[in-house]
Amino acid sequence: MFEISLFEVLIILLSVFMIASAIIAIWFKDLLASVIALAVMSLLLSLYFYILHAPDVAIAEAGVGACLTTAILIITIKATKRMEGDEE
Amino acid sequence: MKNEEMNEGKMTVIVQTIAALLFPLALIFSFYVIMHGHLTPGGGFQGGAIGASAVVLLIVAYGVKHVEEKMSEGGFSVFESLGGLIFVVVAIFGLFLATSFLANFLVNEPIFGKIPGWGESPLNSGGILPILNIAVGMKVIGGLSAVVLILALISREGEEK
Amino acid sequence: MNVMEHLPALIIAIPLLAAFLTPLVDKISKKVRNAVVFIALAATFILTIFLVQDVFENGIMIYVMGASNPTQTIPMQAAVPIRIVLEIDGLSAFMALISVLIALIGLIYSFSHVEERGGKFYTLFLLMLVGMLGMELTGDLFNLFVFLEIASIASAALITYEFKRGSTTEAALKYIVISSIAALFVLFAIGLLYGEYDLLNMAAIAKAIKITGLSNIDMIALILFFAAFAMKAGAAPMHMWMPDAYGEAPGAVSMVLIAVTQASLYALLRVCFTIYADSLHVVIPAAIIIFGLISIFIGVTMALIQDDIKRLIAYAAVAEVGYILLAIGVGLYGVLNNEVELYARKALQGGIFHIFNDILDIGLLFLVAGGIIYITKERNLNKLGGLAHSMKYTSILFLIGLAAVAGLPPMNGFASKIMIYESVYKVSPILSIVAILASIIMLAIFVKIFHSVFTGPKISEQKDVPKLMLASMIILAALIIFFGLFPDIIINNIVNPAVNALIENAAYISNVMG
Amino acid sequence: MIWEIIYIFLGIGVAFNILASIGLLRFPDVYTRLHAGTKCTTFGSIFICLAAMIYGLWKWHAGDKQMIVITIHTLFALIAILLTNPTGAHAIARAAHRSGIKPVKAVVDDLEGKNV
Amino acid sequence: MNPFMITLVLVLLSIAIAIIRVLLGPTVPDRVVGLDTINTLVIASMILFGVAKKEIIYIDVAIVYALLSYITTLFIAKYLQGGKL
Amino acid sequence: MLIKTVGGYWDPIVWIVAFIVIAIIAYIIRAFGKREYKGGEQTKPFLSGVEEPSKEKVHVRASNIYWGFIEALKGYYDYMKRMHSGVVNDYVAWFVGVAAIMFVVMFAAVII
Amino acid sequence: MKKLAFIAFVVFFFFLFYSAYEIRDFGNPPSNVKETFPDAKYKVTMDDRIIGKYNTTTGEWEYGAVEETGANNVVTSVVFDYRGYDTLGEATVLFTAIAGIMLLFGREKK
Amino acid sequence: MIYNLPFLTVVALIAIGMYAIIFKRNLIKIAVGITILESGVNLFLITLGYREGGVAPIFTNLPPGISPDQIPEKMVLPVPQALTLTSIVIGVAVLALILSFTINIYRKYGTLDAGKIRRLKE
Amino acid sequence: MLAFIASTVFCFVMWLLLTFNGNFWQTDELVAGIVMACIAGFASRKILVKDFKLANPKRWLFILAYLPRFFYEMAKANFDVAYRVLTGRINPGIVKISPGLKSDVAITTLANSITLTPGTLSVDVDEEKNLYIHWINVKKEVLKKMPRDYKPICSNFPDWARRIGE
């Protein structure tokens, strides 16, 4: 049988979560929701970096991914429009 | 909350107070990350990103106009150019004082020389790495803040039209 | 400190320093800013000439960034290089020379009319040069990626210089999306190679591949590199961004963009000829030849139906890239089949020489087109006409450029094209026929453009272009005529070292790995 | 003894965190979800942080001097959580109300009718 | 078995439930609540992992998150409440 | 001056000399012509007695120049216009397509 | 057209998944370079050379980041010392992007 | 023992990002796709650098139980982390540029649909 | 100037906490801390320090005394939420209270406390510093009179907030 350690459980869970949130991020028609899902993915990515023993990168991803990327995306959505689609 | 205040882009008093409390905290933490880049996780980019996030926090809590009056994007870009200049100048110093471009010409000696009575200390190690950390930190704080500030200003300008 | 020893670092550092300085100086005075930019570029140009001379005389030059001994690539107790190594062989030196030369000419051209938001413009201009030079001088894969990004971002930003027309931003957006995806796949391929060998140095990876043989991972990385760099170099059918970007950029930027494209082409050459060299499968040269043919064909036929003067020239540029790819593919095929002296060397000579000619010819056309647009504020060929009455010098210069691109003797275009035709004929006559036919259509295109822009009745009174603009065009035209009349000097002194560097990759490896 | 305290604290923390998630799923509208999401996660995280702090203090007391860093830095994180979480909840609730989401099954709504 | 690691896995399970809320949430504020919850849980799991591996310096990352994750929430809240930036 | 190609050589100076010689010969031949035939009524085109239209009217615009050629290749050009759609997604799709074809061809070639 | 693009997409990612399957096992980087370079004098890889080697008998670092740069954080010493040139380039990327945004949106201050 | 799962995650992320770039017509969606793609590549580099049972390559306050003489075998690889740092900052720079272009395009064209933004074609 | 000194001191204390590693601080750590605290303090002097009420040590004592009470309420709140999560019994509504607080610090303290305590969540605050509270279990007797009685909603937190912030 498989011998599985807690660390590997963590990795599996995180992988599944990340793929799920990435799919959510491109699936939503509402761009704001899509950005939220992207923020979740970035958060989990940072956690992934963290448990792969890369705290430097985790901090950078935290600063950039959690705050700045979302910020500029939302500013852009505010400057343009919120829904993806043909209406206009 | 009045309509005018909403148009200024301010959030509620509660958010503002907490932002005012978190701003120095984030700023000092960003300086900590930059200064201790060669000892603990972090460094110029990470600290710079945190510092820029502190500015973004102010932008979101107090509105772009309010922040722009205090710190213009031109100031940020000057700050950024200065950081870049320091980096390149230190790199060229490596060429003149030591052997090659970007050489660590201060390795195994403290940055500001040995001051009597200070003893060995980790903060003062690493040769030119702390200097480069500070340069990159300046650059990233200036740069990323300027990006968000410009984009926010542009977005606001578009709404006013 | 011996300046000669530190040339590779200084060539990057000086424009970079100037680029960081420009926004600060711009706040003080416009004249000082222009002087700073010009002095920095001129200094870079002079240093590059020294570097090129040194490389051509003494062989490959090595510079290890930050090491205690800049020429010692492998430090103590290590088997592989651990720092970033700049490695300049004949090809790198050749490309660097082209880039700096073109940037200098473009700068002189820009001085004539770029005033508004000039500080940022010149900063980005210098950074674009830095990106190109960095790509061409480095010997490290990840470093190549970083400078690729610098060059792409700077050029994307420069394309939007005339942001009042929305289409410039559209072109820039397409360009940046394409570039960033290409760069990300390059990074993925670098990761694959890193995972395989734990190395980032090109020479070291080349040696490792030579010893361990080509694994499947290497092959996937190769294809990713190949596709990404071919897209950045503008090989059809991934050329679509090229007419957009070239057509919308300001004149000088279009010209320097060609150099950026050539830098990607350089990276492609580096990957094919140096890293994978001997273990390369024959599919790759075949693919390069096919891309070349498609590029030539699509370039000339699409150029025929364009109405926008700059887009037309841009499609011609696609065709020129096709010629280069064709020659290089044939050369690579010959190198792999051990037929170097038979035709491969000549093909490579033609291809490398054509890189230079491409930049000069198409660059001249872009400059003239930029001048026309600057004077008349009109890009549509149907609305232009009769400009030869008022713009005599410009029309003569344009004629020179047209003749060179179409490959009329005795211009430089003919010298390189005839080498390509004859060496390609050795592989397959069909290739040669297609190339010659395309060249004829190219001539037809330029008859069209010259007819519609310069001949015909005078539509309106215009003055000639500014003096500095004219000066930069004259420099290019003089170079074209000089290269056309004395191609042997160029081929023997400049092209041959580059070709030798391509063919003999062992020297490149042994200079780093001992 | 210390380990038992840590176990208990971790248990409480995890229990409340999972409870928060379940509440997030079960509650009918955004305000009630905020109740669950804010209070319970904050409370759970406080207990997790406390466990970490106790662990650090204990190790520090046992002679491992640098372990005090865990305590102090966790304290920082804890303060930041305590400051930001309720404020964030407040901001979301306000935004939700302004974007026109009515509280489900509300018996009273004093904000309604107030001109925005 | 390290108790902190077990706790970490359990915390990750509650993150999974929060992700379901992000997926389902009929309105954007619901999703933001999910994001906010995930933020706090990630901070907790970072602290747990740092303590479990006895890596003292790792806690810095958690502080960064605790300080910054709030900004995303504020931005979305600001977008939703309307008004200028 | 002289560069060697695979099959022979190319010398621009020789070409220029030849060009100049031919130009001189052409000029000489032209000079034999009678002086009064140059200019004036002789050089004007004869359009069945109709007066020559003004230059503006007969100037061929750029998009009409190779009308016949383009009309002959209509199918090809229609396809090409569809290919150059100007949509950024398609640009990336071409990249992926080329890479996919290269993958398939390369691996097939290696396995064979 | 869209169908063709989708087929190309699937084929492309089939090969990328294959590469992910084929690449070295997770968590096992190569620990020496003898396989790749049989004639190499030393057998440490790039990363191990950067991390360094501690000599227990003398109590000193024989080589590595601590000895060469004096910084305790190996990542920082890689970022700023061994690969400092990359960092310079990267700072330049940021600078370039900001200059580009300013070119697009920045207002001329008179 | 998890066999290559992280690498498969990486390629899955890249595929999702590429899917968004190729098949989604909204420019902001394309930017989101690029971000996901870039996250995948970053994760790829970090997973390459992981070593089983390793600790972070930082000598300050090393966790107990690691003696200095076995250090190279006990630390994860530092170079991929440095590369990833570089790549992250490059990513945010590119994203900012793309989004500023997007804003400008929206002002000039009034749409974000990539299928309609095609003044430059043929 | 006084504001600058106050914020600098705040930043410096934070720096000292962050850099403490079991031993006494090194000299250069302190020097760097002073420099950095000066920069951060200068940057945040105008927004952090609006008045000097919090410099009074009496208020610090109040905060310390407030914490256990607050923590107790919070624990109660969580069991309350747990009960509601498991049973699903809710009776929500948004009510307005007028605590009569003037300063920003006080209202912030109150709002955050309310959010973290049983069944209440502060939704909005208007220019007269009236709080609008989402209450998960609205009691009938509060609804009767219009200036709401805040005792049943948030016990005596406004008094504590007044002691801390006003």
Side-chain angles (χ1 to χ4, degrees):
Chain A
M1 269 309 284
F2 287 121
E3 188 78 14
I4 199 159
S5 76
L6 280 180
F7 181 80
E8 286 153 13
V9 173
L10 276 184
I11 297 246
I12 292 166
L13 282 177
L14 274 178
S15 301
V16 172
F17 294 170
M18 274 190 70
I19 293 173
S21 48
I23 290 174
I24 293 172
I26 67 164
W27 182 51
F28 281 151
K29 287 270 183 252
D30 186 350
L31 287 172
L32 206 56
S34 154
V35 169
I36 292 170
L38 192 71
V40 171
M41 197 207 74
S42 157
L43 207 65
L44 296 173
L45 180 67
S46 178
L47 189 56
Y48 213 136
F49 288 157
Y50 186 80
I51 68 169
L52 290 182
H53 295 283
D56 291 81
V57 188
I59 294 184
E61 181 66 33
V64 169
C67 171
L68 290 167
T69 306
T70 324
I72 55 179
L73 273 168
I74 290 175
I75 289 171
T76 312
I77 292 172
K78 198 160 172 67
T80 56
K81 67 191 176 66
R82 179 169 155 187
M83 288 296 173
E84 176 191 6
D86 317 322
E87 98 289 343
E88 217 159 315
Chain B
M1 196 103 211
K2 280 172 267 175
N3 271 337
E4 297 87 69
E5 281 201 17
M6 281 271 298
N7 284 342
E8 283 308 304
K10 289 188 175 177
M11 297 194 74
T12 53
V13 160
I14 298 163
V15 175
Q16 282 181 18
T17 316
I18 295 294
L21 195 58
L22 280 184
F23 175 69
L25 216 62
L27 213 55
I28 202 78
F29 190 74
S30 111
F31 291 155
Y32 163 77
V33 169
I34 293 175
M35 289 303 291
H36 288 242
H38 55 296
L39 301 174
T40 59
F45 308 122
Q46 293 93 330
I50 299 167
S53 305
V55 178
V56 175
L57 177 63
L58 284 193
I59 288 176
V60 69
Y62 287 85
V64 201
K65 273 279 175 295
H66 186 258
V67 176
E68 202 227 353
E69 284 162 13
K70 299 271 160 55
M71 343 172 172
S72 72
E73 89 254 20
F76 279 129
S77 74
V78 166
F79 206 59
E80 196 202 354
S81 296
L82 272 179
L85 269 182
I86 291 174
F87 199 124
V88 180
V89 166
V90 168
I92 291 181
F93 266 19
L95 207 154
F96 281 100
L97 298 181
T99 48
S100 64
F101 192 73
L102 267 170
N104 197 339
F105 57 90
L106 285 172
V107 71
N108 292 332
E109 54 183 292
I111 313 164
F112 304 108
K114 270 218 159 36
I115 299 168
W118 277 31
E120 286 283 315
S121 75
L123 190 62
N124 209 348
S125 67
I128 59 170
L129 299 199
I131 302 177
L132 294 184
N133 261 329
I134 293 170
V136 172
M138 279 170 70
K139 199 170 165 54
V140 176
I141 290 182
L144 293 180
S145 312
V147 167
V148 180
L149 197 56
I150 292 173
L151 285 181
L153 276 175
I154 289 304
S155 162
R156 193 190 161 90
E157 223 171 62
E159 280 162 26
E160 274 165 3
K161 266 173 201 167
Chain C
M1 190 191 86
N2 181 6
V3 175
M4 288 306 285
E5 194 187 338
H6 296 290
L7 275 179
L10 283 176
I11 285 175
I12 307 281
I14 288 175
L16 202 54
L17 195 65
F20 287 136
L21 212 56
T22 312
L24 299 180
V25 173
D26 184 45
K27 293 213 172 6
I28 302 168
S29 148
K30 301 266 187 283
K31 285 227 171 74
V32 178
R33 174 199 74 199
N34 286 0
V36 165
V37 174
F38 184 75
I39 289 170
L41 252 182
T44 317
F45 183 60
I46 293 166
L47 290 181
T48 312
I49 287 177
F50 282 136
L51 174 80
V52 170
Q53 199 188 11
D54 194 56
V55 169
F56 286 171
E57 275 174 10
N58 306 330
I60 294 172
M61 195 166 181
I62 295 278
Y63 191 84
V64 184
M65 281 286 170
S68 50
N69 179 3
T71 53
Q72 185 195 4
T73 51
I74 299 180
M76 302 296 287
Q77 276 111 5
V80 288
I82 59 169
R83 288 174 186 271
I84 292 173
V85 179
L86 300 192
E87 186 166 14
I88 300 104
D89 65 352
L91 185 64
S92 317
F94 173 79
M95 295 300 297
L97 183 65
I98 294 179
S99 310
V100 181
L101 179 68
I102 288 300
L104 193 62
I105 293 170
L107 187 75
I108 294 171
Y109 182 86
S110 304
F111 277 147
S112 63
H113 65 288
V114 174
E115 274 307 320
E116 187 197 356
R117 291 171 294 139
K120 297 285 175 266
F121 180 88
Y122 292 119
T123 309
L124 287 167
F125 202 86
L126 286 169
L127 287 172
M128 192 149 78
L129 176 68
V130 169
M132 286 188 284
L133 284 176
M135 279 174 76
E136 285 153 7
L137 298 188
T138 188
D140 191 281
L141 270 177
F142 189 76
N143 206 271
L144 184 74
F145 161 76
V146 171
F147 281 95
L148 180 73
E149 285 278 13
I150 295 180
S152 336
I153 294 179
S155 21
L158 278 177
I159 290 169
T160 63
Y161 177 66
E162 295 161 359
F163 69 104
K164 293 239 163 56
R165 283 184 298 127
S167 46
T168 54
T169 323
E170 184 191 336
L173 181 90
K174 287 173 181 170
Y175 181 75
I176 190 74
V177 168
I178 291 289
S179 320
S180 62
I181 287 166
L184 281 173
F185 276 103
V186 167
L187 184 56
F188 187 77
I190 292 171
L192 286 174
L193 285 182
Y194 178 82
E196 196 80 337
Y197 301 112
D198 205 349
L199 290 171
L200 286 171
N201 190 286
M202 291 201 237
I205 290 177
K207 193 178 177 190
I209 290 178
K210 203 181 229 173
I211 291 173
T212 57
L214 197 69
S215 66
N216 286 349
I217 296 286
D218 294 342
M219 231 142 56
I220 289 170
L222 169 65
I223 306 283
L224 286 178
F225 275 132
F226 182 83
F229 284 132
M231 176 155 80
K232 284 284 291 167
M238 298 174 287
H239 67 283
M240 277 98 142
W241 59 269
M242 243 169 120
D244 299 357
Y246 286 5
E248 295 301 314
V253 176
S254 297
M255 182 173 75
V256 186
L257 261 177
I258 304 175
V260 175
T261 315
Q262 310 288 26
S264 303
L265 194 66
Y266 161 83
L268 183 64
L269 292 182
R270 198 43 98 201
V271 168
C272 289
F273 279 86
T274 306
I275 297 181
Y276 283 90
D278 304 323
S279 9
L280 210 59
H281 198 271
V282 81
V283 166
I284 295 291
I288 297 179
I289 291 172
I290 291 170
F291 282 154
L293 280 185
I294 300 175
S295 301
I296 293 173
F297 198 69
I298 290 182
V300 289
T301 49
M302 288 303 290
L304 204 56
I305 57 167
Q306 296 303 318
D307 287 337
D308 187 314
I309 177 166
K310 289 195 77 173
R311 269 182 93 76
L312 196 154
I313 302 170
Y315 272 110
V318 173
E320 296 289 296
V321 170
Y323 278 107
I324 300 169
L325 284 175
L326 180 64
I328 283 165
V330 168
L332 187 56
Y333 183 76
V335 170
L336 287 184
N337 287 342
N338 289 323
E339 289 167 337
V340 173
E341 293 309 325
L342 199 58
Y343 58 87
R345 182 181 293 275
K346 293 292 170 197
L348 284 176
Q349 276 179 354
I352 302 285
F353 190 27
H354 204 73
I355 291 179
F356 214 146
N357 293 342
D358 173 26
I359 290 194
L360 291 180
D361 306 348
I362 304 277
L364 179 57
L365 293 188
F366 272 132
L367 290 195
V368 175
I372 290 167
I373 293 169
Y374 175 69
I375 294 292
T376 62
K377 308 273 182 293
E378 182 58 63
R379 323 163 59 87
N380 194 332
L381 284 176
N382 288 327
K383 293 178 185 155
L384 285 165
L387 288 178
H389 296 286
S390 47
M391 300 164 79
K392 290 196 175 55
Y393 297 111
T394 319
S395 56
I396 292 170
L397 290 169
F398 199 59
L399 206 55
I400 293 173
L402 293 181
V405 176
L408 292 184
M411 300 302 176
N412 58 352
F414 182 75
S416 53
K417 273 184 183 171
I418 194 156
M419 294 179 84
I420 295 174
Y421 298 151
E422 292 197 4
S423 46
V424 163
Y425 187 82
K426 283 278 171 189
V427 175
S428 164
I430 299 167
L431 305 179
S432 194
I433 290 167
V434 172
I436 292 172
L437 272 179
S439 195
I440 293 167
I441 302 180
M442 190 88 95
L443 189 61
I445 294 160
F446 290 122
V447 169
K448 167 183 173 178
I449 185 170
F450 192 79
H451 169 81
S452 50
V453 175
F454 288 106
T455 64
K458 190 189 279 190
I459 289 179
S460 59
E461 188 60 43
Q462 304 285 5
K463 53 184 188 306
D464 213 336
V465 294
K467 281 209 180 69
L468 275 175
M469 236 182 222
L470 207 59
S472 56
M473 293 178 204
I474 287 172
I475 295 173
L476 274 179
L479 281 175
I480 287 174
I481 291 176
F482 177 78
F483 281 20
L485 291 184
F486 308 100
D488 56 325
I489 297 178
I490 308 301
I491 286 188
N492 291 337
N493 293 327
I494 301 177
V495 175
N496 256 341
V499 173
N500 288 338
L502 276 181
I503 293 175
E504 291 144 19
N505 69 320
Y508 190 86
I509 297 172
S510 65
N511 256 290
V512 170
M513 298 300 291
Chain D
M1 176 58 199
I2 302 259
W3 273 117
E4 277 80 33
I5 293 176
I6 290 174
Y7 284 149
I8 291 167
F9 276 21
L10 286 179
I12 295 173
V14 165
F16 276 103
N17 278 341
I18 290 179
L19 201 69
S21 305
I22 295 169
L24 216 57
L25 268 187
R26 279 189 52 133
F27 275 140
D29 75 330
V30 61
Y31 304 100
T32 39
R33 275 174 204 146
L34 268 175
H35 280 285
T38 310
K39 287 195 198 48
C40 293
T41 50
T42 313
F43 196 65
S45 303
I46 285 176
F47 271 94
I48 287 175
C49 290
L50 278 181
M53 283 164 74
I54 289 169
Y55 181 78
L57 273 177
W58 173 44
K59 286 285 171 191
W60 176 66
H61 187 70
D64 205 349
K65 269 200 159 178
Q66 53 192 359
M67 287 307 246
I68 189 75
V69 178
I70 285 189
T71 310
I72 294 177
H73 284 206
T74 312
L75 181 69
F76 258 88
L78 183 55
I79 291 172
I81 289 176
L82 271 179
L83 286 179
T84 57
N85 254 2
T87 320
H90 160 75
I92 298 169
R94 183 166 185 270
H97 202 275
R98 295 218 167 210
S99 65
I101 296 169
K102 305 272 182 300
V104 174
K105 289 193 274 177
V107 271
V108 59
D109 194 346
D110 288 346
L111 248 181
E112 209 56 29
K114 174 176 173 282
N115 59 335
V116 176
Chain E
M1 280 301 208
N2 196 324
F4 293 105
M5 282 301 266
I6 299 168
T7 320
L8 179 48
V9 172
L10 292 174
V11 169
L12 275 194
L13 286 179
S14 47
I15 288 182
I17 304 173
I19 287 180
I20 294 172
R21 177 44 71 200
V22 173
L23 173 65
L24 291 180
T27 61
V28 171
D30 290 300
R31 300 182 211 278
V32 186
V33 178
L35 173 67
D36 217 24
T37 313
I38 295 174
N39 274 335
T40 317
L41 293 176
V42 164
I43 295 164
S45 39
M46 279 178 171
I47 290 173
L48 282 172
F49 187 80
V51 178
K53 294 278 168 189
K54 298 196 183 63
E55 290 270 15
I56 296 155
I57 42 186
Y58 281 24
I59 314 285
D60 286 7
V61 188
I63 304 180
V64 175
Y65 252 114
L67 286 173
L68 300 186
S69 61
Y70 168 61
I71 298 173
T72 307
T73 314
L74 283 191
F75 255 103
I76 297 168
K78 193 161 189 174
Y79 183 93
L80 288 173
Q81 76 181 21
K84 284 176 186 164
L85 205 64
Chain F
M1 313 300 127
L2 176 136
I3 54 169
K4 284 215 170 84
T5 60
V6 174
Y9 65 93
W10 159 245
D11 192 337
I13 301 297
V14 172
W15 189 89
I16 283 180
V17 169
F19 183 80
I20 290 171
V21 168
I22 292 169
I24 289 172
I25 291 171
Y27 182 77
I28 289 169
I29 291 170
R30 186 177 186 271
F32 281 138
K34 281 190 178 167
R35 181 148 302 192
E36 57 266 28
Y37 287 172
K38 294 170 188 163
E41 194 69 17
Q42 312 280 343
T43 53
K44 283 203 172 155
F46 177 71
L47 298 168
S48 310
V50 184
E51 200 174 320
E52 185 200 354
S54 69
K55 280 266 159 56
E56 280 85 3
K57 270 188 181 166
V58 292
H59 189 71
V60 184
R61 285 286 159 219
S63 50
N64 306 331
I65 280 187
Y66 295 114
W67 179 82
F69 185 80
I70 294 166
E71 196 66 19
L73 290 177
K74 203 164 189 335
Y76 169 77
Y77 275 118
D78 280 350
Y79 181 74
M80 275 296 147
K81 279 180 181 169
R82 214 149 22 90
M83 185 175 135
H84 292 79
S85 59
V87 182
V88 67
N89 309 67
D90 294 359
Y91 293 13
V92 183
W94 274 108
F95 166 72
V96 172
V98 166
I101 293 171
M102 292 276 307
F103 272 135
V104 171
V105 171
M106 186 90 188
F107 275 82
V110 167
I111 289 166
I112 294 164
Chain G
M1 211 59 195
K2 209 163 182 177
K3 223 171 253 176
L4 269 180
F6 194 76
I7 292 169
F9 178 81
V10 170
V11 172
F12 184 71
F13 279 99
F14 169 75
F15 281 98
L16 285 201
F17 272 111
Y18 172 70
S19 78
Y21 172 78
E22 182 91 357
I23 203 166
R24 76 184 182 204
D25 284 356
F26 176 64
N28 290 318
S31 53
N32 68 61
V33 295
K34 278 285 185 213
E35 294 159 20
T36 16
F37 303 123
D39 56 336
K41 194 175 165 196
Y42 299 94
K43 62 180 173 69
V44 285
T45 59
M46 177 167 74
D47 291 87
D48 287 350
R49 167 67 179 73
I50 287 173
I51 292 171
K53 180 86 183 152
Y54 188 76
N55 192 337
T56 31
T57 49
T58 57
E60 276 177 356
W61 289 94
E62 280 177 356
Y63 54 82
V66 174
E67 195 256 331
E68 280 176 8
T69 65
N72 274 342
N73 186 342
V74 183
V75 179
T76 308
S77 49
V78 173
V79 167
F80 287 104
D81 194 296
Y82 294 105
R83 302 192 75 80
Y85 189 52
D86 273 352
T87 308
L88 181 57
E90 180 223 349
T92 314
V93 168
L94 197 58
F95 182 75
T96 314
I98 289 147
I101 295 173
M102 297 274 236
L103 184 76
L104 193 57
F105 289 131
R107 288 149 298 178
E108 286 279 276
K109 289 226 169 68
K110 293 286 170 332
Chain H
M1 183 62 221
I2 32 170
Y3 190 73
N4 280 359
L5 179 76
F7 295 115
L8 297 176
T9 314
V10 163
V11 181
L13 282 179
I14 293 178
I16 293 165
M18 264 327 247
Y19 181 86
I21 295 165
I22 296 179
F23 297 106
K24 294 282 173 179
R25 285 292 163 96
N26 188 299
L27 287 183
I28 295 178
K29 239 354 166 358
I30 291 176
V32 169
I34 289 178
T35 314
I36 293 174
L37 174 56
E38 188 213 315
S39 313
V41 176
N42 291 342
L43 184 58
F44 179 54
L45 290 174
I46 290 293
T47 40
L48 280 178
Y50 181 68
R51 197 185 325 235
E52 217 167 336
V55 299
I58 298 168
F59 287 100
T60 316
N61 297 347
L62 270 179
I66 292 181
S67 62
D69 55 321
Q70 42 164 299
I71 278 261
E73 292 86 49
K74 277 285 183 184
M75 278 186 172
V76 303
L77 312 186
V79 171
Q81 298 194 11
L83 304 188
T84 314
L85 275 179
T86 309
S87 159
I88 285 176
V89 179
I90 288 176
V92 78
V94 170
L95 183 73
L97 204 63
I98 289 178
L99 290 181
S100 67
F101 288 164
T102 307
I103 293 177
N104 206 26
I105 281 186
Y106 185 74
R107 289 187 176 179
K108 303 283 180 198
Y109 287 66
T111 177
L112 281 180
D113 190 348
K116 289 178 187 154
I117 301 167
R118 45 194 292 236
R119 273 183 214 170
L120 304 170
K121 57 178 175 184
E122 288 162 28
Chain I
M1 189 62 202
L2 218 53
F4 169 64
I5 290 171
S7 56
T8 306
V9 168
F10 175 75
C11 291
F12 188 58
V13 171
M14 290 298 148
W15 174 276
L16 289 184
L17 274 178
L18 275 173
T19 55
F20 183 69
N21 61 351
N23 302 312
F24 192 74
W25 297 272
Q26 267 105 18
T27 322
D28 46 359
E29 202 94 68
L30 293 176
V31 171
I34 289 171
V35 174
M36 291 297 150
C38 283
I39 298 171
F42 183 77
S44 57
R45 69 192 188 285
K46 286 212 178 114
I47 56 166
L48 178 62
V49 184
K50 299 224 170 57
D51 49 37
F52 294 91
K53 280 180 189 153
L54 273 181
N56 190 344
K58 207 172 76 185
R59 295 181 195 279
W60 290 81
L61 286 179
F62 276 128
I63 291 177
L64 282 182
Y66 174 59
L67 277 178
R69 159 126 183 86
F70 169 67
F71 203 76
Y72 168 69
E73 286 290 335
M74 204 167 144
K76 236 170 65 183
N78 278 280
F79 288 107
D80 179 65
V81 172
Y83 167 74
R84 285 180 205 291
V85 167
L86 298 177
T87 59
R89 258 179 233 155
I90 52 171
N91 184 25
I94 294 179
V95 292
K96 173 186 180 183
I97 59 165
S98 312
L101 297 173
K102 285 287 167 293
S103 85
D104 292 353
V105 176
I107 198 79
T108 307
T109 316
L110 179 61
N112 281 0
S113 313
I114 282 174
T115 305
L116 289 176
T117 47
T120 47
L121 173 77
S122 58
V123 172
D124 203 347
V125 55
D126 64 10
E127 58 264 34
E128 279 118 34
K129 302 225 159 48
N130 299 322
L131 280 173
Y132 294 85
I133 291 172
H134 182 267
W135 196 8
I136 206 164
N137 187 22
V138 179
K139 289 187 182 123
K140 288 275 159 25
E141 64 265 22
V142 182
L143 294 178
K144 281 168 189 156
K145 52 181 189 264
M146 190 44 207
R148 313 279 191 211
D149 183 17
Y150 58 71
K151 263 280 185 298
I153 300 173
C154 47
S155 62
N156 56 352
F157 283 151
D159 307 332
W160 281 99
R162 190 168 296 118
R163 268 174 245 162
I164 288 172
E166 295 273 297

